Amino acid sequence: MKIETIDSTPYNDQKPGTSGLRKKVKVFQQRHYLENFVQSVFDCLDDCNGKTLVLGGDGRYFNRQAIQIIIKIAAANGFSCLIIGQSGLLSTPAASHIIRKNQAYGGLILSASHNPGGADEDFGIKYNISNGGPAPENYTDAVFKHSQTITQYKLADIPDVDLETIADVQLENLQIRIIDPVSDYAELMASIFDFELLKNSLSSGKISLVFDAMHAITGPYAKRILEDILGAKAGSVINGTPLEDFGGGHPDPNLVYAKELAELMFSDHAPTFGAASDGDGDRNMIVGANFFVTPSDSLAILAANATLIPAYKNGLSGVARSMPTSQAVDRVASALNLPCFETPTGWKFFGNLLDADKITLCGEESFGTGSNHVREKDGLWAVLFWLNLIAKKEQSVAEIVQEHWQKFGRDIYSRHDYDAVDSTIANGIFDHLRALLPTLEGQSFGEYTVSYADEFSYTDSIDGSVSSQQGMRIGFANGSRMVFRLSGTGTVGATLRIYIERFEPDASKHGQDAQQALAQLIELAEQFCQVKQLTGRVAPTVIT
Ligand code: G1P
Ligand code: ZN
């Protein structure tokens, strides 16, 4: 195989964020941009020679071209086996599973998750390590550093690979395996959940469901598993064909962007169960007939009921949530006497805890839930978990949630996002908050007395690594909390996220609307950060 060395010049903006490097497609299409980053990833690995690499993406615009380029760079860097999803497709959780199942050295996942796709939209790339999870920060920092000085990359002189045909192809000493992206993952799901029970409930119509794949990666996975294997009515999966631009939509499963599903679920002909997933299949939104499940509650409910699921019947070793996720799961952990960890935002922080079996389940408020079956959050897994619970408990989604609140109390929760804020204003807000925090402790604002105010810093209990500046938190004596963070996944300006929660033990007040119940805290958050005043906005871009 002829290997060329191509001279290049470095870019200074290849810093991976919360989940890999995300930029506009046009940025990735700049000369040598993708090549530099991929070569930097490989240069920062010990030795790629003779190793296996998994490759696939969410099918967005530029996915196929990027895969052909990466194949040539990977071949030139000595990998001996590339496992690639047919048509270049792999959901993020499926990629994680395939890395683990094949004991691959790692994988490159091409996705910008929930960000829109298309020639003028976003693209992304992320390296996952041999445990199937996102590379830790010390590695992504090293890649960023290297990318700023890189002067050349290697390219194998081989023809483009046929990505459409499932086959094993040998190119001299390189094996290229084009695999069915769904079958291994479907098998894994069957090993976790009670598929017999699910088949009975779904094929008989006892449980009716609609799954919105949002024209993204989970279409083929959901059709195979929910319709073909479990017998849900044909058409239960909507928007099921992955499109390069997600049909012009925003593949983020929330009530704003999954509009078609939201309208159906809040109508008088709603099915028992509704769900949606995002661009790369790791997020989930769960909705019952006329009932929305907050992701933080979902995590707590899965933890509380886990022993009803075959794979978790012997109980959990522990649970974890990202810092801004509500404290609902903490209450379950304390009732079950389980360790509960609080990590910074981003799935990479769960990896060590899962590997060390300190936790079995984990999740984030941003529609992410998962377990030790892979090292990514997993949208369809959460959907199957809920379906399995509904079938087993013979209760509706609303009944399951309300019963949970009665037992543990309700952590009323909401997140307000201000997108595309001018970066100077956003930085000013955080400088101001950083100065304000030390003055707040002990101060009272109406019924809210500040019991702590700090900037979250995390020390990994397994490898001792420290991640600082992970968001500002203000906790109140009555258990309420607010958190301010800047997004690490946005590609335009800064996205300011404000997370607000209040604990309500009184069951007679559990039916409240979250925005109303949190109104005072929302006002207080504005008083502290002044985002509306400084940006002239009247409302958040998205409320979840
Ligand atoms: C967002 C979410 C975070 C999630 C990440 C990747 O990151 O808030 O929980 O892990 O997307 O899906 P952020 O933009 O807030 O940095
Ligand atoms: Zn995602």
Side-chain angles (χ1 to χ4, degrees), residues 18-19 22 113-114 278 282-283 322 345-347 364-366 377 415 485-490 497 499:
T18 311
S19 186
R22 288 196 195 161
S113 187
H114 49 290
D278 71 330
D282 56 1
R283 294 188 174 199
S322 68
T345 295
W347 210 259
E364 297 193 273
E365 50 63 43
S366 53
K377 54 186 178 258
R415 180 176 111 182
R485 256 191 84 244
L486 282 177
S487 156
T489 58
R497 305 201 195 284
Y499 311 78

